[in-house]
């Protein structure tokens, strides 16, 4: 696949010239301010709005914002919801905002909430998986992080001062994973990557080091009321990983530097919606992300009694 990518020489990892050439192909396709910031500002009466940084590429254009419970209760656990770690994964961003707009209020009595709707605003505007340095923020949650998007979120979590019970990280798997992003990755790293298979439907990624099967099952059951769940492929896998339960696979989150490892919470989930499915609309994808968060919180309420 690296031979097919228009930038670079097959078998040779990119240098700065190739990264600059790649960056020159990126252009603004939508507005972070109009689609994300304006919605965040509209929620400031209901939630505390916290600016936890800004991207050096354009600090005025790309402030980093979180919304959290205005009056945290010392005896209630904290839950983190993140979206837009990969900027092209639209329903993660819009689903996080929709959860705040429509559902968050009914959970405020039981949880302290922190929601970061868009971790990678440059990626959101250009609709790309990487940041401008051709770095994947969702492989960069380690110290020292090479991605300032990841470093900023890590610093926010570290400064928070209270542990998190759960972290729900909202993602998408799209057709462009195979047509653009995996070929770009192969070209960047000078490797050959075999074609993969995009699963048709929603699935979740559990933590291999601390699996929570009942938690994941509750999320799947909630989402199944909104959209279809991805089946296993002919080898019993989803994106190359064994299916351990309906719509559930596991990754070593910390080892891979994934966002869902950032809090060390005992309950974590990476959601994956499939917006290119003929069976799902954009509205369904956003609703599926909301259902995933609500399913997680409803489960946590039950086990806490």
């Amino acid at each position: 696949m690296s031979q097919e990518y228009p930038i670079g020489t097959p078998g040779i990892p990119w240098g700065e010239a190739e990264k600059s050439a790649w960056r020159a192909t990126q252009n603004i396709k939508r507005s972070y301010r109009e689609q994300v910031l304006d919605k965040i500002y509209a929620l400031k009466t209901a939630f505390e709005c916290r600016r936890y940084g800004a991207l050096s590429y354009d600090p005025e254009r790309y402030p980093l914002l979180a919304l959290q419970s205005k009056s945290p209760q010392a005896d209630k656990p904290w839950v983190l919801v993140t979206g837009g770690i990969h900027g092209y994964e639209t329903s993660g961003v819009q689903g996080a905002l929709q959860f705040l707009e429509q559902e968050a209020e009914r959970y405020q009595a039981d949880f302290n909430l922190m929601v970061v709707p868009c971790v990678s605003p440059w990626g959101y505007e250009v609709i790309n998986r990487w940041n401008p340095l051709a770095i994947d923020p969702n492989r960069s949650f380690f110290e020292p992080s090479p991605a300032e998007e990841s470093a900023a979120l890590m610093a926010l979590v570290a400064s928070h001062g209270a542990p998190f019970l759960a972290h729900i990280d909202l993602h998408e798997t799209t057709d462009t994973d195979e047509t653009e992003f995996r070929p770009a990755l192969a070209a960047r790293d000078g490797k050959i990557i075999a074609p993969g298979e995009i699963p048709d439907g929603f699935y979740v990624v559990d933590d291999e080091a601390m699996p929570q099967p009942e938690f994941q099952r509750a999320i799947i059951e909630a989402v199944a009321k909104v959209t279809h769940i991805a089946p296993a492929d002919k080898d019993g896998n989803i994106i190359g990983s064994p299916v351990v339960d309906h719509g559930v696979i596991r990754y070593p989150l910390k080892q891979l530097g994934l966002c869902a490892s950032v809090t060390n919470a005992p309950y974590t989930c990476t959601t994956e919606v499939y917006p290119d499915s003929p069976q799902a609309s954009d509205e369904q994808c956003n609703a599926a992300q909301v259902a995933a968060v609500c399913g997680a919180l409803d489960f946590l309420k039950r086990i806490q009694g």
Side-chain angles (χ1 to χ4, degrees), residues 7-81:
I7 295 170
T9 302
I12 300 176
W14 287 0
E16 288 307 313
E18 289 80 11
K19 291 176 184 178
S20 294
W22 169 82
R23 191 159 48 249
T25 67
Q26 306 304 308
N27 54 76
I28 302 298
K29 299 180 177 70
R30 56 187 176 184
S31 171
Y32 173 59
R33 175 161 297 279
E34 293 176 3
Q35 296 186 19
V36 182
L37 293 182
D38 287 352
K39 292 182 179 182
I40 290 175
Y41 295 144
L43 290 160
K44 287 175 70 173
T45 56
F47 301 93
E48 178 186 344
C49 184
R50 184 172 175 184
R51 178 174 171 137
Y52 66 95
L55 297 185
S56 66
Y57 327 126
D58 190 335
E60 289 302 311
R61 188 181 185 102
Y62 299 126
L64 300 171
L65 301 181
L67 289 161
Q68 64 182 52
S69 299
K70 269 194 167 181
S71 302
Q73 305 167 81
D75 62 333
K76 301 300 180 185
W78 280 90
V79 173
L80 175 65
V81 179

Side-chain angles (χ1 to χ4, degrees), residues 150-174:
S150 311
L153 184 61
M154 291 168 68
L156 172 65
V157 169
S159 69
H160 181 59
F164 287 90
L165 174 65
H167 177 191
I168 303 99
D169 189 26
L170 307 178
H171 284 257
E172 291 182 348
T173 301
T174 72

Side-chain angles (χ1 to χ4, degrees), residues 141-142 207 251-258 261-264:
F141 284 88
F142 55 85
D207 187 359
Y251 272 11
L253 302 182
K254 182 72 74 173
Q255 182 180 327
L256 293 175
L258 300 182
S261 71
V262 71
T263 63
N264 294 313

Side-chain angles (χ1 to χ4, degrees), residues 146-299:
E148 59 183 86
E149 297 86 351
S150 311
L153 184 61
M154 291 168 68
L156 172 65
V157 169
S159 69
H160 181 59
F164 287 90
L165 174 65
H167 177 191
I168 303 99
D169 189 26
L170 307 178
H171 284 257
E172 291 182 348
T173 301
T174 72
D175 288 346
T176 54
D177 287 358
E178 284 295 313
T179 61
E180 168 61 27
F181 299 123
R182 280 168 57 83
L185 175 64
R188 186 197 68 181
D189 296 346
K191 297 179 178 178
I192 302 294
I193 296 179
E197 180 179 324
I198 301 295
D200 185 350
F202 178 95
Y203 64 99
V204 295
V205 183
D206 196 1
D207 187 359
E208 190 176 279
M210 200 185 325
Q212 299 287 357
E214 293 181 0
F215 178 65
Q216 310 301 337
R217 193 172 300 126
I219 293 170
I220 291 291
E221 289 173 356
V223 173
K225 298 173 184 176
V226 174
T227 192
H228 61 293
I229 306 304
D233 64 20
K234 60 182 177 57
D235 298 316
N237 297 331
I238 290 177
I239 61 168
S241 294
V243 172
V244 297
D245 199 353
H246 183 43
V248 182
I249 61 173
R250 290 177 183 154
Y251 272 11
L253 302 182
K254 182 72 74 173
Q255 182 180 327
L256 293 175
L258 300 182
C259 181
S261 71
V262 71
T263 63
N264 294 313
Y267 293 93
T268 62
C269 174
T270 301
T271 70
E272 295 286 353
V273 172
Y274 180 45
D276 297 313
S277 172
Q279 303 180 63
S281 65
D282 291 346
E283 292 74 19
Q284 275 181 295
C285 289
N286 294 343
Q289 303 284 24
V290 175
V293 178
C294 293
L297 294 176
D298 289 339
F299 172 84

